[in-house]
Amino acid sequence: MKMKLFSIIAVIGLFTACKKDFDGRATESVGTENKAFIRVVAGSVGAARNFATLDGALLNGTALSMGSVFPGASTVTAFATILPGARTIRVYDSSLVPAQTPVSISATFDAGKFYTVYTYDTSNAVKALIQNDVFTVPSDTTANVKFVNIIFSSSAVPNVDLYSRRKRANIATNIAPLAASTYIPHISGLSDTLEVRATGTTTALTTFNGMTFNAKRTYNVVFRGRYQSTSGTMSRGITIMATY
């Protein structure tokens, strides 16, 4: 009887070990060998109840709102793994009466590379872009920081800088809408306050307090929302994601 019970437990354990769906959804996310890495940032103005699919298969189990990241913003859950090749990602509002238009973007994802999908623009004209996050692990005690500008405005707005109060200098300078800096070395291990400023000015458009970058780690700092909004669901702000 004991031997029979042990056999049943062993079989259950085997099936549990073989099935390891990411977020309870994408079954192809098992393992990392010969896989591409993706994440999705809900950056369209006022985004809510957002879900993403990969070739029709649901990726996230929890809805995203503006500034949210799938699968997560930490190094533990920074990316989901997918099979490489030509794939289509669709992001949509799951409400019965959608408040935003869906958007689809297709690309070829290469094995071993890291990709971030950003949605941006307004709820009735949502767009998406894909960036390949190319980075190396710092050989010293610095952190890598990349500044991404997906801010929306219906009128022309200035380029922006990412300023560090701890460093008392810009991390990235003169970044246009829908553009990004390269990965830039930055101090680690110390609490920092980040500001986004119109290029050449000292006035903070938005502030992120208490950020500590870890040594030998890589981060994307994202400026998103509506440029003219300082409060509410459309407010301009900063999302910080660990990339590695």
Side-chain angles (χ1 to χ4, degrees):
M1 179 67 182
K2 288 184 179 180
M3 180 61 70
K4 183 177 181 181
L5 178 60
F6 177 80
S7 298
I8 294 172
I9 294 173
V11 170
I12 293 173
L14 178 61
F15 277 104
T16 302
C18 291
K19 181 175 171 52
K20 192 177 181 182
D21 296 357
F22 195 95
D23 198 21
R25 300 292 167 177
T27 56
E28 66 178 319
S29 295
V30 179
T32 59
E33 186 177 358
N34 297 321
K35 299 292 178 67
F37 301 83
I38 66 163
R39 60 185 169 189
V40 179
V41 180
S44 60
V45 174
R49 305 171 301 273
N50 278 199
F51 283 88
T53 62
L54 177 71
D55 294 340
L58 188 62
L59 282 173
N60 53 314
T62 302
L64 302 175
S65 57
M66 189 179 75
S68 297
V69 183
F70 166 80
S74 73
T75 53
V76 177
T77 57
F79 289 87
T81 56
I82 65 170
L83 296 175
R87 316 300 300 269
T88 297
I89 294 173
R90 181 175 183 264
V91 180
Y92 64 95
D93 181 347
S94 61
S95 174
L96 291 176
V97 183
Q100 70 181 52
T101 57
V103 61
S104 295
I105 187 167
S106 299
T108 298
F109 298 91
D110 295 329
K113 292 186 178 180
F114 296 79
Y115 300 90
T116 304
V117 180
Y118 299 92
T119 61
Y120 66 97
D121 214 306
T122 60
S123 59
N124 61 355
V126 182
K127 299 176 179 63
L129 63 85
I130 299 176
Q131 290 187 354
N132 180 199
D133 292 312
V134 180
F135 60 91
T136 57
V137 179
S139 58
D140 53 18
T141 60
T142 61
N144 279 329
V145 177
K146 176 182 181 179
F147 182 44
V148 183
N149 183 4
I150 57 170
I151 200 71
F152 168 77
S153 176
S154 58
S155 57
V157 293
N159 294 351
V160 292
D161 303 334
L162 179 63
Y163 178 83
S164 161
R165 289 188 189 174
R166 173 68 67 173
K167 189 178 180 181
R168 296 184 180 180
N170 288 331
I171 300 174
T173 304
N174 200 33
I175 306 301
L178 302 184
S181 71
T182 58
Y183 283 104
I184 299 165
H186 185 58
I187 53 178
S188 66
L190 299 172
S191 180
D192 199 354
T193 294
L194 305 177
E195 296 179 358
V196 175
R197 301 173 170 184
T199 296
T201 72
T202 58
T203 301
L205 298 172
T206 189
T207 302
F208 193 102
N209 295 304
M211 179 61 199
T212 300
F213 295 104
N214 293 322
K216 299 183 182 299
R217 293 298 184 183
T218 297
Y219 301 83
N220 285 18
V221 178
V222 184
F223 183 40
R224 42 70 181 171
R226 183 175 181 269
Y227 189 91
Q228 291 80 8
S229 297
T230 57
S231 62
T233 58
M234 298 184 183
S235 177
R236 64 194 183 204
I238 293 172
T239 292
I240 300 179
M241 308 175 291
T243 295
Y244 170 82

